[in-house]
Amino acid sequence: LCCCEYVDRRGQRNHLAACCCDCEELDDGCDRWLTCKSLPPGALERIADTIADRLRVPWFSGAVKINVSLVPPLVLLPVFLHVAALHFLLGLIILTSLPVVVLWYYYLTHRRKERTLFFLSLGLFSLGYMYYVFLREVVPRGHVEYSQVVALTCGLILMLAALSRAKKDPGYLPIPASNEKPSHQGLPSKSVRGSSSGLHGISGAASSRAVNGEAKGYCRMSAEQPEGVKKDWCTKCQLVRPARAGHCRLCGRCVRRLDHHCVWINSCVGEQNHQAFILALSFFMLTSVYGITLTLHTICRGRTPFVALFYCPGAYSDYSSALSFTCVWYCAIVTAGMGYILLIQLLNISYNVTEREARLALRDNTGRRLLGGLVIDTGQYNRGLLCNWGHFLSLGSSPPQRSAEDIV
């Protein structure tokens, strides 16, 4: 293949120059639109699949496909921020509508159980673009010292390093070999406790509901361990899960001590990357608040950052100040959202409960709402503040021990 050729989704050799040719789905859709006819079921999905397959860039060994979810943040975010800097009312409308659009897209993809790079792309590009605006519009004014720029840059680098670590293996359970078909019958009979559902609950597990990452087809099965903890059987991965592990319906894998699937890193948060996730959030909060403070001290001199955020008369005196002030408000909105996520995470760690366990406790009405409903205490693993934090800080410190029942 030359740099502009590729093999399409139908297995046929194609070329970038023919990206607008032979699109039967799009031609049929245009014909029906011109004749005021309704589209057949699934037509829009087929058109979207064709566009996604043909959206490529030239590369050495053939054209490389571009993920469609990466494009909107790269194009729309700078446009929206520059338009918002034109007038105060435009800024108010755009900065109010952006969180609504992001939440709508989140619920759309979450309902369809789809993975997307949109949020990760939005987060990384927002960081890069805010840093670019800071260096281009704020630093040249001469009120920011080089040591402050270095401190902001170091915070950004540390946050990206922690984010890179959080993107790695969250603690996936190994998938059994395909030639060894697992079955719950392989478990020792003495290790299976009697339960209200019994073995009938195992055969009927395919009809159970998925809650917070729990795949349909999940079946609870208790296995007695030396420590006296329970283990579960996952019919999707065909393996026995240790205590606190869960199946993510988006990743399609079981994860040790599953907390939740985070769309901002496009991965699960589990036993192996939970610490890095908290570290990335903490560095982001410190860096973002520091950058907002430096910017407001520059464009709204003589006022405290909190007052300047709501009252800065000279913010729209020139376009440079208006763009900087708009970016400050955008950062403040994102920081408030991430701060809420960090607060919930810290509270959950203090009570030794995961997000998945909290939602399951709410569903089964077995947990206690504390601190105005911010945290759900299941009481199952709570051993006190110090012990809970000691347990969290020791996560992933040693490789998990696999018993004979982990491999069926």
Side-chain angles (χ1 to χ4, degrees):
L1 296 177
C2 75
C3 62
C4 295
E5 289 182 321
Y6 62 94
V7 178
D8 60 19
R9 59 193 178 100
R10 298 177 180 176
Q12 300 176 355
R13 195 185 186 100
N14 214 325
H15 197 277
L16 288 180
C19 61
C20 298
C21 304
D22 299 329
C23 185
E24 299 177 1
E25 294 86 356
L26 185 59
D27 293 340
D28 181 64
C30 292
D31 292 339
R32 287 177 174 270
W33 178 69
L34 292 174
T35 56
C36 299
K37 295 181 180 178
S38 60
L39 292 175
L44 292 178
E45 288 78 3
R46 290 192 296 270
I47 293 174
D49 291 340
T50 302
I51 294 175
D53 186 52
R54 298 185 179 187
L55 187 62
R56 298 172 180 262
V57 293
W59 199 246
F60 299 105
S61 58
V64 179
K65 183 190 292 188
I66 300 177
N67 195 308
V68 181
S69 59
L70 294 174
V71 179
L74 303 181
V75 177
L76 297 180
L77 182 63
V79 173
F80 283 161
L81 291 179
H82 279 275
V83 172
L86 295 176
H87 195 271
F88 170 74
L89 292 178
L90 287 175
L92 183 64
I93 294 173
I94 290 177
L95 292 176
T96 304
S97 60
L98 273 179
V100 177
V101 173
V102 171
L103 287 175
W104 170 80
Y105 187 76
Y106 167 75
Y107 285 113
L108 180 65
T109 55
H110 192 70
R111 187 175 67 249
R112 293 181 178 179
K113 304 175 186 177
E114 297 176 350
R115 297 188 67 181
T116 176
L117 292 174
F118 173 83
F119 299 97
L120 179 61
S121 173
L122 177 63
L124 292 178
F125 185 69
S126 297
L127 288 173
Y129 192 71
M130 295 303 105
Y131 186 68
Y132 167 77
V133 171
F134 178 79
L135 295 180
R136 181 180 176 85
E137 306 293 343
V138 179
V139 174
R141 294 174 180 264
H143 301 294
V144 179
E145 300 178 359
Y146 287 108
S147 59
Q148 295 174 323
V149 177
V150 171
L152 186 68
T153 305
C154 290
L156 186 63
I157 293 174
L158 291 174
M159 191 275 297
L160 292 176
L163 181 62
S164 176
R165 174 62 187 86
K167 280 286 294 174
K168 294 182 179 179
D169 180 16
Y172 291 123
L173 290 173
I175 299 178
S178 58
N179 57 350
E180 298 178 2
K181 190 172 182 180
S183 172
H184 62 272
Q185 297 176 357
L187 287 174
S189 58
K190 65 178 181 180
S191 65
V192 180
R193 292 181 182 175
S195 62
S196 60
S197 57
L199 294 179
H200 175 71
I202 297 174
S203 61
S207 61
S208 62
R209 291 188 302 176
V211 179
N212 187 33
E214 288 292 312
K216 293 181 179 179
Y218 158 78
C219 165
R220 178 171 294 265
M221 182 184 66
S222 300
E224 196 171 334
Q225 298 301 313
E227 296 83 1
V229 298
K230 293 182 179 180
K231 287 195 173 188
D232 297 325
W233 172 262
C234 178
T235 58
K236 291 293 183 180
C237 297
Q238 295 291 290
L239 51 79
V240 178
R241 301 185 304 204
R244 311 191 77 177
H247 185 92
C248 177
R249 61 181 179 181
L250 299 180
C251 297
R253 297 283 300 274
C254 283
V255 181
R256 292 183 180 274
R257 198 183 177 276
L258 174 63
D259 189 85
H260 70 289
H261 181 93
C262 181
V263 295
W264 293 104
I265 64 175
N266 193 33
S267 178
C268 289
V269 176
E271 184 179 89
Q272 298 296 321
N273 68 340
H274 202 169
Q275 296 175 355
F277 179 73
I278 296 297
L279 198 60
L281 281 176
S282 302
F283 278 128
F284 172 81
M285 291 295 299
L286 294 175
T287 305
S288 180
V289 171
Y290 188 58
I292 290 173
T293 303
L294 291 178
T295 304
L296 289 177
H297 275 313
T298 301
I299 62 177
C300 303
R301 297 189 63 80
R303 291 180 173 83
T304 61
F306 183 79
V307 174
L309 190 61
F310 296 95
Y311 182 71
C312 185
Y316 284 86
S317 59
D318 59 274
Y319 187 77
S320 176
S321 299
L323 180 61
S324 302
F325 189 72
T326 302
C327 291
V328 162
W329 257 106
Y330 174 75
C331 289
I333 294 173
V334 175
T335 304
M338 295 300 173
Y340 176 77
I341 295 176
L342 179 60
L343 175 63
I344 297 299
Q345 286 289 314
L346 295 179
L347 291 175
N348 286 343
I349 295 170
S350 300
Y351 285 90
N352 200 2
V353 61
T354 63
E355 187 68 21
R356 168 179 169 271
E357 292 168 348
R359 295 191 182 185
L360 290 176
L362 284 179
R363 184 200 66 178
D364 300 333
N365 197 23
T366 58
R368 294 187 305 150
R369 291 178 177 268
L370 301 176
L371 303 178
L374 289 177
V375 64
I376 307 298
D377 182 19
T378 61
Q380 187 175 5
Y381 301 101
N382 188 1
R383 300 295 181 267
L385 180 65
L386 295 180
C387 290
N388 293 339
W389 273 97
H391 170 74
F392 173 76
L393 295 176
S394 65
L395 289 178
S397 58
S398 60
Q401 299 294 327
R402 297 178 60 191
S403 64
E405 293 181 353
D406 288 338
I407 307 175
V408 182

